[in-house]
């Protein structure tokens, strides 16, 4: 993901999340050397992205999203896999993330990729909803 990808990224972010990240969150992360971020393109258009950060031995996955028409074609899983590979190369041994307890699709994808629910963070989101913290040991 580069700065000039952010129009496409932010457009998807606004479509698929009820509390989307503002653009400057992405800008701030892209300026950090800890960030791992991808976009997926189809015919020159951005159709998905993933962003996270490697700090010490932990990969924190901030956001993964696939444009609605392209969902359910293993693209989310592939981005997750790529992010884990980069994180392992950078010395990470664990990955974790927060996900809305109501987000059936994302929870299923993470479980498929070996993530376990560790605990609930109550009222984690601005709208008062809870998050599961999911965790995986990277190999
Ligand atoms: C979560 C998301 C990234 C998944 O991406 P995707 O490319 O559609 O997912 P995949 O095709 O890789 O799916 C992998 C598995 O996850 C599960 N899954 C994915 N979408 C699902 C859905 N809508 N309902 C139930 N299970 C689902 C399935 O087990 C699927 O495997 P299968 O298709 O062989 O049954 C996508 O739904 C999305 O962008 N959602 C909106 C943004 C979001 O909530 N991101 C997560 C933030 S933590």
């Amino acid at each position: 993901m580069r700065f000039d990808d952010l129009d496409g990224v932010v457009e998807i972010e606004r479509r698929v999340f009820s509390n989307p990240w503002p653009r400057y969150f992405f800008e701030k992360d892209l300026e950090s050397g800890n960030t791992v971020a991808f976009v997926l393109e189809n015919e020159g258009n951005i159709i998905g992205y993933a962003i996270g950060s490697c700090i010490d031995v932990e990969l924190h996955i901030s956001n993964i999203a696939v444009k609605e028409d392209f969902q359910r074609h293993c693209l989310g899983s592939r981005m997750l896999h790529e992010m884990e590979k980069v994180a392992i190369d950078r010395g990470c041994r664990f990955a974790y993330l927060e996900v809305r307890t109501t987000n059936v699709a994302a929870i299923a994808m993470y479980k498929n990729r070996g993530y376990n629910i560790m605990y609930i963070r109550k009222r984690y989101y601005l709208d008062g909803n809870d998050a599961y913290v999911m965790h995986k040991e990277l190999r």
Side-chain angles (χ1 to χ4, degrees):
M1 187 189 295
R2 297 182 306 244
F3 281 90
D4 58 7
D5 294 320
L6 289 184
D7 285 348
V9 167
V10 169
E11 187 195 321
I12 298 176
E13 176 81 11
R14 290 191 182 132
R15 292 166 67 106
V16 302
F17 288 110
S18 50
N19 280 301
W21 268 20
R23 187 186 182 97
Y24 73 90
F25 276 31
F26 290 98
E27 290 172 344
K28 192 169 62 64
D29 275 10
L30 287 183
E31 283 166 0
S32 161
N34 295 325
T35 296
V36 183
F38 300 93
V39 292
L40 283 178
E41 282 184 355
N42 180 54
E43 297 176 350
N45 298 311
I46 292 175
I47 58 165
Y49 59 89
I51 186 161
S53 57
C54 288
I55 296 183
D56 197 5
V57 293
E58 274 191 327
L59 165 67
H60 178 240
I61 298 163
S62 312
N63 257 347
I64 296 191
V66 176
K67 207 166 183 174
E68 296 95 323
D69 295 354
F70 294 88
Q71 289 180 3
R72 222 57 201 263
H73 288 89
C74 282
L75 297 175
S77 303
R78 259 182 68 188
M79 288 193 289
L80 189 53
H81 179 65
E82 291 302 321
M83 187 174 268
E84 290 170 358
K85 276 193 349 200
V86 172
I88 289 168
D89 285 348
R90 291 197 192 176
C92 289
R93 290 171 35 220
F94 307 99
Y96 76 101
L97 57 99
E98 293 86 9
V99 58
R100 278 176 194 268
T101 55
T102 51
N103 192 344
V104 176
I107 293 166
M109 177 184 73
Y110 292 125
K111 281 189 173 168
N112 261 0
R113 294 266 332 143
Y115 288 75
N116 295 310
I117 293 173
M118 304 300 285
Y119 47 84
I120 295 184
R121 280 199 216 277
K122 288 282 186 192
R123 293 177 291 283
Y124 176 75
Y125 295 100
L126 288 176
D127 58 13
N129 283 340
D130 301 338
Y132 287 132
V133 176
M134 299 186 75
H135 186 270
K136 176 182 178 177
E137 189 170 347
L138 300 174
R139 292 166 211 284

